[in-house]
Amino acid sequence: MKVRIVVSYVPRYRRGHRFHFVPPVTGIHLAAITPPEHEVELFHEQVRPVPVDASPDVVALSFFSGFARRAYALADRYRALGVRVVAGGPHVSYWIEEALQHVDVVVTGEAEAVWPSVLRDLARGTQRRVYHGEPTSLAGLPTPRYDLLEERFLVPRVLQATRGCPFTCSFCTVPDLNPGFRVRPVDEVIRDIATTHFPRFWQEKVAWFWDDNLLVQRRWAKELLRELAGLDRWWLTQASIDIVKDRELLDAMERSGCIGIFLGIESLDEADLKSVDKRQNRAREYREAIRKLHDRGICVMAGFISGFDDQTPEVIASTADRLNEIGVDVPFLSILTPFRGTPLYDEHRRDGRILEERDWPHYSGYGVAFRPARMSPEQLLAAHRQMWNRAFGPAAVLERLARGARSLSRGAMMLSAAMNGFYGLKQITGNEPAAPPLEPEGTIRHPAPGDAPARLSRLGLKRSASAADSSVERTA
Ligand code: SF4
């Protein structure tokens, strides 16, 4: 069969992006695990339009909640042409009934265990409507299909070396979607980096790990970093802040070419962190943690969330200055979003705080889908935009770059300059995050407040840490 993989996208800024840093890993990974008897093509809607024609036998759609309406519209158009559509990813895993109104087949959870069977059944015409992908061992996974990537991505070498996270932040779907913590064999990860080549200097040099918490399992992480050190590459990833307590790990990160770490700092206030069970973070330790990473020349990218119950518009707006004070090099500023499958969604649903009239575009990370405790939804949106504009205004950007020039390694400085330049340019040209449309395109049928929470772990599958092929070393 001819399989067209489409990774949906909707611009979240007023005038979109001129540059595209990285692709998601989903499309190139799904292409790689597609059995060789099928022909695969891949489209990232982020960088080029997706043709809607009858040439593929199957279209596989991947998207998250914020892009659901766009993905459903595409699916409807393909199906009108007689093309069968499969959807997977975090959104459809929790909104199966909704997705089945637009697609032929839904794959929940992780694709590896079921993708070959889904395609085999589609080829025979015996497909089921729903397949549940159990978490499986990550050993033996193929190298992502970088050859299918569009050239417009600045950093094409993206990969995943682990899956899952041992923490349980209440707004995050990872603990249920990717239960336990599993690692790939180090030699297979190294193979993916060492054997793939790209035309430009920085493309050849950089490996971007799309992991949720790459360095959790210390013994494995140190082995990976030892091998990485021999490759003379630069790498970046996401990790939890407890890594700074392990000096040996920090040294290994520096030696192996780490140029950037994304930390989910989320809030500068302990009460906010407690309210979402972010127990590994201590706000009072942020400054020291960031200093330790700077001592190794590593750029600190940090995620902040607006919309916690204790926050007011003034607190949110002032965060822009406070994050510069603690030393963050690149801030990532989003709005708290109650995704189904999380304890946060269940609490807000129970308490009647979900704004039911607000459609999926409000679930993009830049919209407000719930009733904040101490302000109106409009005030939260305005406070977030005020913070965003202050954080990426020329003064704040220059302050971060000047500090970075004193503390960051060459690769880390390039990373910081590229990202601060990217967002700083958006700010001075008025290209801020767009406000999601208030007019809904469809109706979200939220479950009744008393209904059981949606959890893949309740499907009776072996979705627990015991299904993982490695144990977890908790360090926070
Ligand atoms: S540490 Fe990050 S990945 Fe892990 S549960 Fe919290 S938000 Fe999710």
Side-chain angles (χ1 to χ4, degrees):
M1 291 193 301
K2 182 171 172 182
V3 181
R4 177 176 293 169
I5 298 171
V6 176
V7 182
S8 286
Y9 184 80
V10 178
R12 295 185 298 164
Y13 287 78
R14 285 180 173 174
R15 296 193 302 282
H17 292 328
R18 242 178 103 192
F19 302 102
H20 299 272
F21 278 102
V22 274
V25 76
T26 324
I28 49 177
H29 178 60
L30 193 64
I33 62 169
T34 299
E37 62 268 28
H38 304 292
E39 182 192 339
V40 189
E41 52 182 18
L42 172 61
F43 287 86
H44 287 94
E45 218 180 356
Q46 185 177 349
V47 292
R48 61 169 164 164
V50 176
V52 180
D53 56 43
S55 69
D57 298 292
V58 173
V59 166
L61 275 176
S62 169
F63 56 95
F64 92 122
S65 296
F67 304 160
R69 289 289 169 222
R70 168 74 192 158
Y72 290 155
L74 260 181
D76 293 344
R77 291 172 64 200
Y78 275 119
R79 289 179 87 202
L81 295 171
V83 178
R84 288 163 302 170
V85 179
V86 182
H91 181 78
V92 301
S93 291
Y94 296 104
W95 293 93
I96 298 172
E97 295 304 321
E98 176 192 273
L100 285 174
Q101 293 170 26
H102 302 275
V103 306
D104 298 279
V105 175
V106 163
V107 178
T108 70
E110 300 183 8
E112 286 88 357
V114 291
W115 185 231
S117 330
V118 172
L119 291 177
R120 182 202 58 209
D121 294 351
L122 280 161
R124 292 176 182 164
T126 58
Q127 70 274 11
R128 304 199 305 265
R129 296 224 70 195
V130 182
Y131 292 76
H132 297 297
E134 285 196 49
T136 56
S137 163
L138 302 184
L141 292 180
T143 301
R145 289 286 305 273
Y146 300 113
D147 57 303
L148 296 177
L149 270 180
E150 294 89 346
E151 284 184 6
R152 287 192 64 196
F153 289 111
L154 293 176
V155 179
R157 193 191 285 111
V158 293
L159 69 160
Q160 245 195 346
T162 67
R163 206 165 287 168
C165 173
F167 297 110
T168 52
C169 308
S170 72
F171 54 82
C172 181
T173 54
V174 169
D176 189 56
L177 263 179
N178 308 118
F181 184 77
R182 286 160 287 152
V183 298
R184 294 178 62 200
V186 166
D187 59 332
E188 294 182 10
V189 179
I190 294 297
R191 174 205 66 200
D192 287 356
I193 298 172
T195 62
T196 50
H197 300 287
F198 301 94
R200 299 193 176 85
F201 158 74
W202 68 86
Q203 295 179 326
E204 183 65 9
K205 190 81 174 163
V206 176
W208 189 305
F209 287 97
W210 258 140
D211 293 67
D212 291 305
N213 206 339
L214 179 72
L215 305 169
V216 166
Q217 199 179 89
R218 298 288 192 259
R219 225 183 355 252
W220 175 89
K222 287 172 189 171
E223 187 192 338
L224 174 71
L225 300 189
R226 250 193 319 277
E227 296 300 320
L228 263 177
L231 294 185
D232 189 26
R233 295 291 204 280
W234 290 337
W235 62 273
L236 59 157
T237 193
Q238 175 166 289
S240 43
I241 200 161
D242 52 288
I243 56 169
V244 302
K245 294 177 182 158
D246 188 334
R247 181 182 294 187
E248 194 189 330
L249 181 76
L250 290 175
D251 291 343
M253 288 164 64
E254 182 180 10
R255 275 196 304 274
S256 59
C258 179
I259 58 169
I261 288 291
F262 179 95
L263 300 173
I265 275 181
E266 325 302 11
S267 170
L268 297 165
D269 294 296
E270 303 286 355
D272 296 340
L273 298 171
K274 201 166 167 218
S275 73
V276 290
D277 201 18
K278 192 95 194 181
R279 60 197 152 86
Q280 66 274 34
N281 285 21
R282 305 272 181 282
R284 62 184 176 280
E285 296 173 0
Y286 286 162
R287 194 188 296 262
E288 178 64 7
I290 292 171
R291 186 192 60 74
K292 286 181 180 173
L293 290 163
H294 283 167
D295 284 350
R296 270 89 179 169
I298 296 169
C299 169
V300 176
M301 303 168 281
F304 286 82
I305 296 177
S306 303
F308 294 114
D309 281 356
D310 273 2
Q311 289 176 337
T312 60
E314 295 73 32
V315 166
I316 293 171
S318 71
T319 301
D321 302 327
R322 293 170 71 198
L323 57 89
N324 262 26
E325 282 163 26
I326 62 168
V328 169
D329 296 296
V330 188
F332 287 83
L333 309 171
S334 60
I335 295 177
L336 190 64
T337 305
F339 291 108
R340 197 171 178 192
T342 66
L344 181 76
Y345 177 87
D346 302 331
E347 282 163 30
H348 279 8
R349 186 80 196 114
R350 183 195 62 213
D351 299 341
R353 294 179 64 184
I354 301 285
L355 294 169
E356 302 205 6
E357 68 284 8
R358 297 212 165 177
D359 201 6
W360 291 125
H362 293 271
Y363 289 75
S364 68
Y366 285 156
V368 182
F370 71 102
R371 225 176 296 286
R374 301 182 63 183
M375 59 196 132
S376 68
E378 293 72 26
Q379 284 174 314
L380 171 54
L381 193 77
H384 174 267
R385 299 304 192 259
Q386 201 184 340
M387 171 177 64
W388 187 92
N389 276 294
R390 253 156 87 168
F392 293 111
V397 165
L398 287 174
E399 185 187 327
R400 288 196 291 272
L401 291 179
R403 189 187 49 228
R406 296 191 297 273
S407 59
L408 301 184
S409 69
R410 185 165 68 103
M413 190 61 214
M414 284 172 68
L415 175 67
S416 175
M419 289 195 162
N420 276 296
F422 177 79
Y423 288 110
L425 187 63
K426 281 188 180 306
Q427 197 277 339
I428 55 175
T429 56
N431 191 11
E432 65 175 29
L438 288 173
E439 203 51 45
E441 277 181 56
T443 306
I444 303 176
R445 300 206 182 285
H446 290 280
D451 285 359
R455 293 288 187 280
L456 296 186
S457 51
R458 292 179 191 217
L459 293 172
L461 306 176
K462 291 178 287 176
R463 304 186 65 83
S464 66
S466 61
D469 56 0
S470 295
S471 61
V472 174
E473 293 172 18
R474 292 191 185 207
T475 53

